[in-house]
Amino acid sequence: MLQIECPWCGACDQSEFSYGGEAHIARPKTPADLSDQEWGDYLFNRENPKGWHREQWCHTAGCRRWFNAVRDTVTSRIKAYYQMGAVPPEEDGR
Amino acid sequence: MSQRWRLATGGCINRSRPLRFVFNGRVLTGYEGDTLASALIANGIRTVARSFKYHRPRGIVGVGAEEPNAIFQVGEGRKTVPGLRATQVELYEGLTAYSVNGWPSVEFDIYAINDLIGGLLPAGFYYKTFMWPRSFWKRYEHRIRQMAGLGRAPDASDPDTYDKRNIHCDVLVVGAGPSGLMAALTAARSGARVIVADEQSEFGGGLLGTGIEIGGMEAGKWVQKMVEALEKWPEVMMLSRSTVTGYHDHNFLVINERRTDHLSNPVPLMSRERMWRVRAKQVVLATGAIERPLVFADNDRPGVMLASAVSVYMQRYAVLPGRSLVIFTNNDSAYRVVHDAINAGAVVKGVVDLREGAASEAADAARRVGVPVYRGHVVTAVKSGFGGVNRINIGRLSADGRSVVAHKGSIECDVLAMSGGWNPTVHLHAQSGGRPVFDEAKACFLPGFSVQAERSTGACAGEFDLSLCLVGAVEAASEALRQVGIDPVTVDTPGTAQHTEAPLRALWSIPGDRAMPRGKKFVDYQNDTTEADIRLAAREGYRSIEHVKRYTALGFGTDQGKLGNVNGMAILADALGQSPSAIGTTTYRPNYTPVTFGAIAGRAVGEVLFDPIRRTPMHEWHVENGAAFEDVGQWKRPWYYPLPGEDREKAVSRECLATRHSVGILDASTLGKIEITGRDAAELLDRIYTNAWKSLSVGRCRYGLMLGEDGMVMDDGVTSRLSEHRYLMTTTTGGAAHVLNWLERWLQTEWPELKVFLTSVTDRWAVTSIAGPKSRELLESLSEGIDCSPEAMPFMSFCEGRVAGIAARVFRISFSGEVAYEINVSADQGLLLWRAVMEAGKPFGITPYGTDAMHVLRAEKGYVIVGQDTDGSVTPIDLGMDWIVSKKKDFIGKRSLFRADTARDNRKQLVGLKTEDSTVVLPEGAQLVNGFSSSRPVPMVGHVTSSYFSATLEHSIALALIKGGRARLGGSVYAPLLDGRLIKATITEPVFYDSDNVRQRG
Ligand SMILES: [Zn+2]
């Protein structure tokens, strides 16, 4: 069970949160202009990296706010949290 | 005299407290301080189980969590627990235990025939034989399970309670042997918050019952002193009978504490087990090591035991596993048995040491007490009779260790104490994400790189010298303390006697006696995996240990291969001509030892705490009036209200007809309700729903459909405009939470510029829905300040006023196709309103109806239920609801409706079905075909999603999703049923009743 630091509530058990998958998948402004390929990419294709991953979490059983985290998918270590719309911290590889 | 194998003196048992227990129906006696295993040994019981596959007789091998054979069903009735290791079951008065896999008994097991035909049961036998033909597997499986048998679950609910506790600490020390105690003391004295957890009933680990001197005193004394010192610190918690079963992410560990299982009369109300959920800043693993068996022919006979176990039984429990022993070893540690056995009054016939030549300190000490040492020899055969080992053969080992060059003769004995070295208990390190690394010199896997905040110390780190363990433990604890910002104090380590040990010789498989080539060499006792099985797997092309594990069942037992895995890995490495480090280990998974369901569930059992039950404000009335209930999400909803003598079908038909002809009343409180407030509320609705919302005027309601971004129908419901910037959205009963989260997510992550607030108000409102041609008259009779005329309150509008004197919002919306009103009142007034409406409805014969009638009424109208007529693969176009899909604006999921697959014309589409025989109701879920077909499988063209008998139409009706169904209206399909019937049905429009909507608009 991860321990996740909600930017508003502090460190809480993972069981209070829900996972939102990869962050920074912006919804296209004009979906109608996209090819099937491009729309499919937005809809289905995700990075699934081994290593640092910027992802969305929601403190569902707490303040109900969404935020971003940078987590290592191998060790589950989380090195940074930042708010929706904020610029992600620079990646430093592993 | 009972306990004939009990020593007169010594041990950590209390001879003044005899305890009676029952094993396989026999009444026996042991002492307080015994485990079930030591008590069985005291009574001379040697065959305690039959093996899994060959049904060979098996005896106790080990003394702790590693025990693979003595695994019993313990306790009776509702409290019984399967799969307990006798070595870890503390004896108590009245304990009952059974072997689980001998039939009719462990002494005489008819399936022992499997042993004689063992050549026919190689690795992968079950895969190769029973999986073909596939359809027969079900039959075989039953027989195999019966033959194998791993115990049975209690047949009634558990009477005990179980607790969970969350706790934080600076340092969690796992294991309270010498290393763990030393580490804990260092942390405690430095002022850290410390938890010490040990799986045994007493602290001390490997020191228990030994005569070792430590710090100038006998080991037991030293342990006692250490524990007393630790318990004085207020921030130190000492947990015995507490196994750290899991090491999870972010230093979250789970401790399973067994609180009452050792008591014959537990304190009432005391929880039986407690699950500690620990978030530790640092973890010090001091989990020790488990001795490794040697792999030689017939090494599974009762009486063949781990050398360390033999010592512990004699010293700690004062029982004699046998009176004449032979020791078979590849290292010095087993020589301890020589002295322990002699002290206990047993005869040691010899030490068979497979290492060559040069004298060692240990061997010299054995010779000095008159015990012959056979260097460079191995046990080539184990002869056994009823009751286990009675003689062994030994032979001279060739220089390369691959064959026996000369036979030395045989030795009579009743116990063969074996030692193949030690496996550090790296389980928790591996669970934490570490990868154990093979150490060639020590011939074992050691903890590798730490991924989490943990470190191993003592024997589990491969340090087998006691004095070095003590020093290492202080270092490990100090380093852990520094990591959490605590300055470690200096702690002196007590002195111990130093021994020089000669290195062990790893010989993973002992060559056998040429005269007895058929002797099986067991690697995994619990699963009957032999050396030959692993070599066969290698010959058949298996290379990965993970695959070999699954093919041979190595390590698949409830012991998870604590004894056998490393031997198995090394044998595979040998077969493949590689080193064990190249093979690596299988994955160590939680839990370290099995955990009961009770411990996992804790208090979250039964109706209240496992999953909340939600009841509407009118629930009490439904119960009083005999409603049958249905679970919808977490809600209890009235399903139907049977009158005396009515079955479900009759009740539902009556409820439907009453609603169509007069007035019915439905508790609709469970529908999800979300208030959407703010300047951009309409904009949000526009983006979420498929249709347009900005044109909806205050006081009016509109039906909406929402899709996932993949274009599939996700939820539906009516949304009303309460005021300029305030809307009330209703959702399906089961979808309410999901929809709220969905809206919230879009607002927070994608559209933060929208000024909108969402509030869940589902529980705030009680909703009484009345439907039918008399509903308006009924409402009029109850309301004040509400003009119920069709002109003032048309279909899809609402107004506010008082109903039965209660402030209410009345929505004129319909899910039945009749004139209908949903009267919303504050939840605390719900029951009052309901009763008032029932009273006022008497003249109309008002009839309460449940979800079943609601389903029939809406199906007659062709209204879909999301989640029943849709399944996450259905678009609004598939439902024939093109009319609600806006061409002008964008909305979530719109683009997906134009993807090649969603736009193709032979998708499954919603249609109605009318069976040829009006009385036959198709089963929901029935597959549909075009008729008889010789091709197999018969092409399936769709399936039934809803199906009922419509009393109104006096005809069976159904909704179905059929490939290209819209183009097939008027055609036929067939539903092949399980009973062999083939039901013919006509494809129709999905609206069966009042297709012009005259009634509900009236
Ligand atoms: Zn929060």
Side-chain angles (χ1 to χ4, degrees), chain A residues 6-10 12 16-17 58-65 67:
Chain A
C6 171
W8 285 270
C9 310
C12 300
E16 294 187 15
F17 295 83
C58 179
H59 196 189
T60 323
C63 63
R64 300 187 60 80
R65 300 290 291 177
F67 57 91

Side-chain angles (χ1 to χ4, degrees), chain B residues 367-425:
Chain B
R367 288 197 190 96
R368 275 200 297 278
V369 291
V371 172
V373 177
Y374 304 94
R375 301 282 289 190
H377 282 72
V378 292
V379 173
T380 56
V382 176
K383 308 279 180 71
S384 61
F386 189 81
V389 181
N390 55 27
R391 174 187 292 274
I392 56 148
N393 289 351
I394 65 173
R396 185 131 196 43
L397 190 62
S398 68
D400 65 357
R402 301 251 169 210
S403 59
V404 172
V405 290
H407 289 281
K408 179 84 177 180
S410 68
I411 310 174
E412 277 184 28
C413 63
D414 55 5
V415 159
L416 179 59
M418 63 178 164
S419 178
W422 292 81
N423 288 327
T425 308

